[in-house]
Every structure is written in C-alpha cells, then in structure tokens.
Amino acid sequence: MKESKYYIAAGYEQMDIHTMEQFPSKQFYQRLRGGFLKVSWRKLVCNNLGLPKWIFMLRLVAHGKLYTRDKLSKWGVICNVMCPLCDKESESHSCLFFLCEMSAQIWQRLLQWQGITRRPKDWDAEIRWLTNYAKGKIAKAELYRIVLAAAAYTIWKERNMRVFQDKKQQLDVMIKLVMQEMFFRGNLRTKVARWLTNFNFYPV
C-alpha cells in the first residue's frame, strides 16, 4: 500500500513532513495565528508576581471589559449611574481607574509609598506612563507591576462590596492591606524582597 503524504498548510505554503529534517513549530504556529499588533500593557500583565486574581482583574481592566454602571445604563439594566466610591460622578472605566476621588487617593498613596510623587491620571495615560516606567526586570519595576494589579483588584472589590453588600472599608485600611500583601508577594522573589526593605511594612 502506497504511503500517503501529509501536508501542513502554513500561510500560502505547504510543508511535506516526510521531507523535513526539522519541524519549525514556532513558525508554523505564528502563521496559523496570523499577525497582530502587541498591546502596550502586555508586559504589565505577563510575568506579574501578583496573586492570580489580581492578574485576572488587571487583564479585564486593561481590556475595558468590566460592567461599570455607565455600560449597564446604556443596556437598560440600571438607572442609577453614580459612582459608588465617590457618589459625585457617573461611574465609568475612567472614573474607577483612577479619576474618581477615592480611587485617585488609593493610587496616589500607593505611588507615594514607592517614592513616586505625581498626580494620578486616567487609565490610558497611566498605562502609557507605566509602560515606560515599569519595563524591565529590575526590582522596582516588578514591584510597580504588582502594585498596579493589587490596586485594580482592590478598587473593583470595594466597588462591588458597596454595590452588592452595602458595606464600606476605610481608605487607610484598604491601603494598609495592599501594602502588607506587597511584602508577602514580593518576598517570593529575592531581588524584590531586598528592594522591599526600603519601604514601610505597616504604615499608619
């Protein structure tokens, strides 16, 4: 029985497996996947030392996929669009990250804790700044990426607690918990653990 030949379509080319000395799996995968532009925030999410739930939330925030009240109102699900964190503006992605009064305070104090003094901006502006600042494998960049993920998770968790449970946490308590989590996660990597010795473990 004559042996059949197996071909793999790769773009516009066909590769005969029987005549190949090596199988270029990387090239084959890239051709099947196609070309896509890399998002600017990919390095903030990939290889982030934060908790998995933080990373998951950070990815949702980066994609703008959270069900904020402005979206729910457009779909006719709710009528109240006020931000549950500040009760002053319409809740939107930009408001929560990081323009509303409360989220801006959380982010600014976490920046100051790392020795960074500047006013918080909206999410897109923050990502542009973070992409330049938090690149590379140095300890302060790794810590910065962890703090960003923790801040996004903490803000959304507090928002949901206020909406669904009618409960509130004090600002100082939230920030303190985030900073303590930073030490726990950072100690998993030696260079980050050494860098964390410069920071206050139990701020008041």
Side-chain angles (χ1 to χ4, degrees):
M1 180 175 175
K2 187 176 181 180
E3 183 180 7
S4 60
K5 291 185 177 180
Y6 296 89
Y7 291 93
I8 298 178
Y12 294 102
E13 298 178 5
Q14 288 186 331
M15 299 180 292
D16 185 354
I17 294 179
H18 294 280
T19 60
M20 294 169 56
E21 295 182 0
Q22 295 181 344
F23 181 72
S25 58
K26 181 178 180 180
Q27 296 178 16
F28 175 61
Y29 168 73
Q30 289 176 343
R31 295 193 182 197
L32 284 179
R33 184 188 62 176
F36 298 96
L37 293 176
K38 294 182 178 180
V39 292
S40 60
W41 46 262
R42 69 189 186 280
K43 293 183 179 179
L44 302 177
V45 176
C46 298
N47 299 320
N48 193 311
L49 199 60
L51 290 169
K53 60 184 179 181
W54 297 353
I55 310 305
F56 177 75
M57 182 57 60
L58 180 60
R59 189 178 293 275
L60 290 179
V61 176
H63 279 290
K65 295 298 184 180
L66 297 178
Y67 289 157
T68 51
R69 284 183 166 180
D70 61 335
K71 291 182 180 179
L72 295 175
S73 177
K74 290 179 181 178
W75 298 338
V77 178
I78 62 172
C79 296
N80 180 15
V81 296
M82 294 301 294
C83 175
L85 298 183
C86 65
D87 285 325
K88 294 180 180 179
E89 301 179 14
S90 173
E91 183 191 72
S92 63
H93 184 276
S94 296
C95 178
L96 290 175
F97 310 101
F98 301 97
L99 292 183
C100 101
E101 183 178 344
M102 185 173 184
S103 63
Q105 287 185 48
I106 292 173
W107 186 233
Q108 186 166 14
R109 287 181 59 176
L110 289 175
L111 290 175
Q112 290 174 348
W113 177 67
Q114 299 175 84
I116 302 167
T117 54
R118 66 176 184 82
R119 293 180 62 84
K121 303 176 182 178
D122 63 31
W123 178 259
D124 292 335
E126 285 291 340
I127 288 300
R128 287 194 295 270
W129 190 86
L130 287 167
T131 302
N132 293 324
Y133 181 88
K135 62 184 179 181
K137 297 182 179 180
I138 58 176
K140 69 176 183 179
E142 290 204 41
L143 178 64
Y144 206 101
R145 294 192 288 268
I146 304 172
V147 174
L148 176 66
Y153 176 82
T154 300
I155 290 170
W156 187 248
K157 180 182 177 182
E158 178 65 19
R159 180 264 187 198
N160 285 344
M161 187 181 297
R162 295 188 179 202
V163 171
F164 299 111
Q165 301 180 30
D166 196 24
K167 295 180 180 179
K168 297 181 180 180
Q169 286 192 99
Q170 294 184 354
L171 184 67
D172 290 342
V173 173
M174 287 189 288
I175 294 172
K176 186 179 296 185
L177 290 174
V178 170
M179 292 177 181
Q180 290 173 1
E181 285 283 0
M182 292 303 101
F183 279 86
F184 172 72
R185 297 302 297 178
N187 282 327
L188 298 177
R189 190 161 295 172
T190 304
K191 62 180 179 181
V192 180
R194 286 197 297 264
W195 180 251
L196 281 169
T197 59
N198 300 317
F199 303 105
N200 185 7
F201 172 74
Y202 198 81
V204 295

